[in-house]
Amino acid sequence: MTAAPTPAFVPADAEARRRASGVESVDRRGHLLVEAAAGTGKTTVLVERVLRTIESGDRPLSRIAVVTFTEAAAAELKERLRSRVSHLLATAASEPASHRRRLSQALADLEVAAVGTIHSFWLLKQRPVEAGVDPGFKVADAFQQRILKTRAWESMLRGMGSEEAGLDAAYGLGLASEPELRRIALSLVEVERD
């Protein structure tokens, strides 16, 4: 006897993912905010939406802005776009010339496309006051970010007193040490990937 096939997993938000991916032309109009936990497929959804927008002729990549929070996410997004556009172009021999031109243009536009972090987005630089940021803001490099995270961690530890019974109990039982908690806290902040 043959076992019945296991039904494919369908996430609870499948319809929202489909709309966000821009399957229908009506779904590609306007702005889109994708907010979800790490590892849930935000980058995949954004890449699909951008590709569908380009392929449909709705808008060239030069007229699309994709803004993420981390430089790693922006780099991954750009790399996935490059990979997918290159693949689509390589397999587009039977597609209309207009489709191939849109893909070729997208590949060329990728070098200057507005795919980046929220703090590198040109609007923040052009209109910092309206965006509520200091006009002289600078993006912290990886070393500066690590220093800021460490200072924030140390400030939080100084602010914790005996009212934090769970932390005191963990220390008392030898389940936690400050260096171990620091390592865990810093690794958790680095989890922002998709």
Side-chain angles (χ1 to χ4, degrees):
M1 178 182 272
T2 308
T6 306
F9 170 75
V10 178
D13 64 347
E15 180 56 23
R17 288 174 188 246
R18 189 188 72 73
R19 283 192 323 272
S21 294
V23 173
E24 305 293 329
S25 63
V26 69
D27 297 330
R28 292 189 301 270
R29 294 188 187 128
H31 302 90
L32 172 70
L33 169 67
V34 178
E35 181 180 25
T40 57
K42 294 182 299 295
T43 303
T44 300
V45 165
L46 289 171
V47 166
E48 288 305 313
R49 183 183 182 94
V50 169
L51 288 174
R52 285 191 173 104
T53 302
I54 293 165
E55 287 185 295
S56 68
D58 289 349
R59 180 166 286 136
L61 185 56
S62 62
R63 303 241 2 221
I64 299 172
V66 184
V67 183
T68 67
F69 279 98
T70 67
E71 290 180 14
E76 182 178 353
L77 188 71
K78 221 170 197 178
E79 183 49 41
R80 283 199 205 175
L81 278 169
R82 182 181 328 284
S83 174
R84 289 292 308 281
V85 170
S86 295
H87 174 75
L88 289 170
L89 190 56
T91 59
S94 62
E95 296 291 333
S98 59
H99 185 257
R100 292 192 310 272
R101 273 194 306 274
R102 285 192 292 268
L103 291 172
S104 292
Q105 188 59 53
L107 205 51
D109 288 347
L110 200 53
E111 297 309 314
V112 293
V115 176
T117 59
I118 193 161
H119 48 270
S120 68
F121 190 44
W122 61 269
L123 190 58
L124 292 181
K125 293 176 181 173
Q126 279 189 341
R127 302 193 182 279
V129 175
E130 294 89 336
V133 297
D134 179 342
F137 81 91
K138 292 181 183 172
V139 177
D141 63 26
F143 181 70
Q144 292 166 326
Q145 288 174 25
R146 184 119 178 121
I147 289 171
L148 291 169
K149 288 174 189 174
T150 301
R151 285 183 184 158
W153 171 250
E154 289 169 352
S155 174
M156 186 203 69
L157 281 181
R158 279 194 304 277
M160 296 174 90
S162 58
E163 71 274 3
E164 298 296 331
L167 187 59
D168 286 345
Y171 275 127
L173 294 171
L175 299 175
S177 66
E178 195 277 334
E180 181 63 9
L181 287 174
R182 177 194 308 254
R183 185 192 65 72
I184 292 169
L186 290 173
S187 70
L188 286 175
V189 205
E190 301 298 326
V191 171
E192 184 64 35
R193 294 208 170 90
D194 199 357

